[in-house]
Amino acid sequence: MGMTILFVAANRRAAAAGAIAVSMLAVGAGCAAAPAPAQPPAGPRAAVDSPAQVARDQLAARVAAAADQRLTASYVWSAAGRPDRVVTVAEATDGGWRVDIPGGALDGTVDVAIIRTGAVTFQCTLFSTTEQPTCVRPADPDGTLPTEADPEVHHVFTDWQTTLLDRRAPLAVSVGQPPPGVDGDCFAVGSTSASLAAPLAVGRYCYHPDGTLTGARLDLGTLRLAGPPTAGPATIELPGPVVLGEPLPVGAPAASTTAPLAD
């Protein structure tokens, strides 16, 4: 009887030891078989903007700030073959604008204002104080002045700024040096298309960080901010009545080709 009990106990101890060994083998096998944690896929490297892209972004930020401003400012306009002139720009809170251009018509003999009000563009002649100014509306439905009557300088403050904001416009932008007498951040703007005319005057455009245009150097001449801007008007009023007629040309009127009458 005693030997039987001892035999049974020994078998139980052997079985228990075997079970422990099997468990340890299973644990070891499980540890050996566990796969290494998968590494997350490497994401694409952050793109580094080119200097040209950085310059275009900086220019766009300044032009966007300019679009939110409503100022009155004067600029000295220096152009080859002409005495310096002071161009005055007024931007109204209702979206209208006015650019006064001394000597802007008839080969520098007539002062004009290009005015946009009520979604209509006008050319107004600014005579002396003894004569009343008059305004004409271009025949083009969009209000575009004919080429021969377009003094161009007003575009710097109006639609060319819209072009500078257009990322689809074929423009190449880089940081540029300011022209003499001009401060602010300047950007050289050129065209990326050799076969198409540039959508604006290429050259250098300069701005303060708040969006104030401080100057420009273009084919049409150099503009320099003449003094601190002031607040713009609430609206733009025409300086005189609207009359029938064609906008005055920038240059001298064409000579008459009519032959003189014989005596």
Side-chain angles (χ1 to χ4, degrees):
M1 181 68 177
M3 292 182 64
T4 301
I5 294 173
L6 290 173
F7 179 76
V8 172
N11 284 343
R12 288 177 176 174
R13 286 196 295 272
I20 292 173
V22 171
S23 298
M24 293 179 66
L25 288 173
V27 171
C31 291
Q39 296 296 323
R45 291 187 177 182
V48 178
D49 289 338
S50 66
Q53 185 60 53
V54 171
R56 187 153 191 178
D57 289 344
Q58 292 174 343
L59 174 59
R62 283 153 180 77
V63 177
D68 292 335
Q69 292 185 338
R70 298 294 182 266
L71 302 176
T72 297
S74 295
Y75 294 83
V76 177
W77 181 19
S78 302
R82 298 276 190 176
D84 285 356
R85 293 170 279 177
V86 176
V87 173
T88 303
V89 182
E91 302 165 330
T93 54
D94 66 358
W97 50 262
R98 169 175 172 166
V99 182
D100 288 11
I101 309 167
L106 296 184
D107 204 24
T109 61
V110 175
D111 300 341
V112 298
I114 309 302
I115 296 175
R116 181 79 171 176
T117 182
V120 180
T121 301
F122 299 90
Q123 183 206 63
C124 300
T125 53
L126 305 177
F127 297 112
S128 66
T129 55
T130 60
E131 296 180 77
Q132 184 183 33
T134 57
C135 301
V136 296
R137 179 176 179 175
D140 188 288
D142 294 332
T144 302
L145 288 168
T147 302
E148 66 274 11
D150 188 351
E152 293 191 297
V153 67
H154 64 288
H155 296 294
V156 178
F157 313 99
T158 57
D159 52 300
W160 285 351
Q161 296 207 42
T162 302
T163 303
L164 290 174
L165 280 175
D166 186 355
R167 296 306 183 106
R168 299 168 299 176
L171 300 177
V173 180
S174 60
V175 175
Q177 293 298 317
V182 176
D183 62 359
D185 301 320
C186 296
F187 303 88
V189 179
S191 175
T192 60
S193 174
S195 59
L196 298 176
L200 46 62
V202 299
R204 279 173 282 172
Y205 294 78
C206 304
Y207 292 87
H208 278 156
D210 66 358
T212 300
L213 179 76
T214 59
R217 188 177 183 89
L218 312 167
D219 286 344
L220 58 85
T222 299
L223 290 164
R224 302 185 305 276
L225 183 64
T230 59
T235 190
I236 299 293
E237 301 289 345
L238 294 179
V242 178
V243 298
L244 295 177
E246 296 293 329
L248 296 178
V250 173
S256 174
T257 58
T258 303
L261 295 175
D263 292 338

